[in-house]
Amino acid sequence: MRIPLSRTIIRNSIWISTAFFSFLVIFNILIYIVVKYQLTSVLDAKIRHEIEHIVSSFKVKDRAIEIIRPEEFLESDLVRITDNTFFLQIYTIEGKILLGSENLKYFSQIPLAYPEFTDNEYFDDSETKTEVVRTGYAKLINDDGEHFGYVQLSFRREKLVAALKSILSYTLLILPFVLIIIIALSIFISRRLFQPINKIIETANNISAVNLKERLQLDSDPNDEINKLKITLNNLFERLEVQIQQISAFSDNASHQLMTPLTAISSELEFALTKKKYHGEIKQSLEVVKEQSDRMISIVKSLLLISRTGRDSGQSNMIFNLTSLFEKHIKILFPQQRIYYFISNNLYVRGKEENFIIVIENLIGNALKYSSEDDIIEVISNSSNGCINVIVKDKGIGIADSEKEKVFERFYRSESAEKIGIVGYGLGLSIVKSIVISMNGKIQVSDNSPKGTIFCITLPYIKIEE
Ligand code: ADP
């Protein structure tokens, strides 16, 4: 089932994406910090190791140094400038340089620093004019235990900076793609999350529209939230079904009880009106009473029809040929010249044929009733986009936008119809709608151009090989 991108799903996806993305950004920042720390530690270890070598290559005498292994200071990494170059400066706390490595001549000046450290070593970044170098310090201590100077050894940090820069630029480069993947993933997750709820909505809609006897399938875990929702809805359907049955039984009984006396009154009046002794005002009164009782009979008949269509709300398994329904019934019931039929061949729908005849009868009946005698009416039936359409178009009085929904309510009659004085009971369209819904279809009303009304029924397409 394809779940549409509803507002809830979009909102949910935004939340999930934001959470994922924030987590990713924080994770990346942490990785950056850890990598930087690790690389710096490796660098510091290298400097420490070299300082140890250097310190063991000279002796301290008073406030001076005496070199005991000069070859140590002539090693290429203290003489030339390469990627692995060290820069050495040994100086007193007064700033007097006691020894400087050869390669310092070709490099920007490394500032002398006098850090106060309790341990034997200290590491820091030193800024030269051209680049930042990592620098380690060791104390120069004479025989009296006096701290009189520093051994400062610097190492180029460029490799480390380059490594960090490439981590950063790779991260920034892949971030937009990762964001797209995260958004797609969030939408997928949200859709999956809402899938069971959408399934419930679909089944519940089907139950309330088509078959009140059906129930939602429960899962095995009674404590599951979705299962609890299903149980609540099933209880609601149970109550609804009982109440609808009671209402329907009441209106059914009432209509049946009313039908007998009303038909008796109508036939008695019909008989009385044939008698010559009733004339003048009495005859007129009898005619009015007869008209009103016939009106009541029509209403009661409609109520019986409503309770019948309401009762057999379960979806029918019967399939009928819509094309032949028009040929065999509708065109005979409505042979008027002003009705133009455009009916496609081989149209099949699921439902009860006798009920659908009532639908078409009502729509064409209304089209005739609410338009003038020389207005044409079009009745179209065809299939498009995997649906069957049945359309009735007239050029009559039309229905105001504010009333387009209301005309399907029981006993509702439009203001204009009432004003003109066209007789009706406001029950036909409510019967039409309940039959169409029972067939899993939809009915819509819109304006015809330049005037009039269009009723359009859409039903599921049934494919039958002939
Ligand atoms: P009735 O026609 O008996 O009053 P319906 O339920 O068939 O009852 O229609 C409800 C109302 O909808 C009508 O009273 C009328 O105002 C309006 N209506 C229905 N069909 C048409 C139509 N083809 N053109 C204009 N108004 C219509």
Side-chain angles (χ1 to χ4, degrees):
M1 184 177 55
R2 182 104 185 122
I3 300 168
L5 268 186
S6 65
R7 276 177 65 184
T8 315
I9 289 188
I10 292 175
R11 211 179 313 130
N12 218 49
S13 306
I14 291 173
W15 274 109
I16 296 177
S17 305
T18 316
F20 259 130
F21 196 67
S22 316
F23 171 76
L24 193 82
V25 170
I26 294 170
F27 183 72
N28 270 310
I29 293 172
L30 281 178
I31 291 269
Y32 181 84
I33 294 170
V34 168
V35 169
K36 190 177 172 183
Y37 176 79
Q38 284 295 335
L39 289 177
T40 311
S41 304
V42 170
L43 219 61
D44 290 352
K46 200 173 164 136
I47 295 172
R48 181 183 302 118
H49 180 74
E50 194 63 23
I51 288 179
E52 277 165 10
H53 267 282
I54 288 165
V55 169
S56 65
S57 307
F58 66 83
K59 269 189 189 162
V60 175
K61 266 198 171 171
D62 291 333
R63 289 174 69 87
I65 57 166
E66 182 192 326
I67 293 167
I68 49 172
R69 276 196 287 130
E71 67 278 8
E72 189 67 40
F73 299 93
L74 295 171
E75 273 182 16
S76 69
D77 50 8
L78 281 171
V79 174
R80 273 188 246 127
I81 294 189
T82 59
D83 278 346
N84 289 316
T85 300
F86 286 102
F87 300 102
L88 173 70
Q89 296 191 94
I90 301 175
Y91 51 92
T92 63
I93 37 182
E94 290 80 25
K96 185 180 156 206
I97 305 270
L98 302 176
L99 183 84
S101 62
E102 189 69 16
N103 53 12
L104 272 171
K105 290 181 193 153
Y106 321 110
F107 199 69
S108 342
Q109 200 188 346
I110 298 169
L112 301 183
Y114 309 93
E116 285 191 11
F117 48 100
T118 42
D119 284 346
N120 287 333
E121 56 178 22
Y122 179 81
F123 294 93
D124 199 0
D125 288 333
S126 318
E127 254 179 73
T128 71
K129 267 187 195 146
T130 50
E131 59 190 88
V132 178
V133 288
R134 185 74 182 161
T135 305
Y137 300 85
K139 288 178 185 170
L140 275 182
I141 296 171
N142 63 14
D143 295 339
D144 301 334
E146 182 197 358
H147 170 205
F148 74 97
Y150 294 91
V151 176
Q152 181 205 59
L153 190 72
S154 304
F155 189 81
R156 301 182 74 184
R157 258 187 21 156
E158 276 194 334
K159 265 190 179 170
L160 179 132
V161 174
L164 289 175
K165 261 190 191 160
S166 66
I167 290 178
L168 206 67
S169 50
Y170 276 128
T171 313
L172 289 177
L173 203 73
I174 60 162
L175 223 54
F177 299 102
V178 174
L179 187 63
I180 293 170
I181 294 170
I182 285 178
I183 291 173
L185 213 71
S186 315
I187 293 173
F188 173 77
I189 293 173
S190 300
R191 278 198 161 128
R192 284 301 291 257
L193 278 176
F194 282 90
Q195 203 170 26
I197 295 188
N198 272 285
K199 254 192 189 153
I200 293 178
I201 294 172
E202 199 189 29
T203 330
N205 273 338
N206 205 33
I207 291 174
S208 54
V210 180
N211 188 3
L212 263 180
K213 289 201 181 343
E214 212 180 298
R215 293 290 175 267
L216 295 161
Q217 288 277 316
L218 299 181
D219 307 324
S220 47
D221 180 4
N223 291 322
D224 180 72
E225 276 71 18
I226 298 280
N227 209 37
K228 281 184 189 165
L229 178 70
K230 285 182 183 172
I231 294 171
T232 314
L233 281 172
N234 276 349
N235 290 341
L236 195 75
F237 290 135
E238 194 75 45
R239 286 206 297 275
L240 253 176
E241 194 195 345
V242 170
Q243 284 188 3
I244 286 178
Q245 269 170 359
Q246 280 172 354
I247 294 167
S248 162
F250 172 78
S251 94
D252 209 22
N253 279 340
S255 309
H256 271 118
Q257 297 293 334
L258 281 171
M259 204 58 186
T260 327
L262 279 173
T263 11
I265 291 170
S266 178
S267 30
E268 285 299 323
L269 285 166
E270 208 170 313
F271 176 69
L273 279 166
T274 58
K275 302 285 173 204
K276 285 214 173 82
K277 61 177 176 182
Y278 300 122
H279 52 85
E281 279 185 356
I282 296 182
K283 191 173 180 194
Q284 265 178 11
S285 294
L286 286 177
E287 275 169 356
V288 171
V289 178
K290 167 87 172 83
E291 198 186 303
Q292 292 303 320
S293 63
D294 284 347
R295 209 179 136 93
M296 279 172 81
I297 288 173
S298 297
I299 295 177
V300 171
K301 271 187 187 161
S302 300
L303 288 175
L304 272 170
L305 205 62
I306 288 173
S307 73
R308 200 189 79 201
T309 50
R311 227 188 358 259
D312 46 49
S313 57
Q315 203 177 7
S316 169
N317 279 328
M318 286 188 283
I319 289 171
F320 64 89
N321 185 328
L322 194 59
T323 320
S324 69
L325 177 141
F326 275 101
E327 295 302 328
K328 289 187 189 152
H329 300 278
I330 305 299
K331 285 187 183 174
I332 294 163
L333 271 170
F334 298 102
Q336 287 88 332
Q337 292 271 303
R338 66 176 174 120
I339 306 180
Y340 290 48
Y341 290 97
F342 303 95
I343 312 296
S344 300
N345 283 327
N346 299 330
L347 298 178
Y348 291 91
V349 284
R350 194 184 293 279
K352 290 190 176 153
E353 189 174 13
E354 68 266 28
N355 280 357
F356 205 64
I357 295 175
I358 297 170
V359 169
I360 309 291
E361 243 185 280
N362 266 290
L363 293 183
I364 302 183
N366 279 351
L368 288 166
K369 199 159 71 166
Y370 296 105
S371 60
S372 53
E373 279 183 8
D374 37 320
D375 282 335
I376 62 155
I377 292 163
E378 288 173 67
V379 179
I380 304 157
S381 188
N382 56 26
S383 65
S384 69
N385 301 328
C387 289
I388 302 272
N389 305 309
V390 178
I391 302 160
V392 178
K393 291 182 180 182
D394 66 52
K395 296 191 184 295
I397 60 169
I399 301 174
D401 283 346
S402 58
E403 295 185 305
K404 284 196 172 79
E405 281 292 314
K406 292 182 186 160
V407 290
F408 294 103
E409 290 169 13
R410 282 176 199 171
F411 295 107
Y412 187 84
R413 304 212 63 225
S414 74
E415 268 181 40
S416 46
E418 288 281 86
K419 225 185 259 172
I420 302 169
I422 302 171
V423 182
Y425 315 109
L427 288 171
L429 286 183
S430 74
I431 296 173
V432 167
K433 189 167 181 179
S434 76
I435 294 175
V436 170
I437 289 175
S438 77
M439 293 170 75
N440 231 351
K442 270 188 213 154
I443 179 160
Q444 280 168 322
V445 58
S446 56
D447 293 329
N448 199 1
S449 162
K451 68 186 183 81
T453 313
I454 302 175
F455 280 96
C456 177
I457 296 173
T458 323
L459 295 165
Y461 182 81
I462 307 282
K463 194 171 169 18
I464 295 211
E465 307 291 339
E466 290 206 26

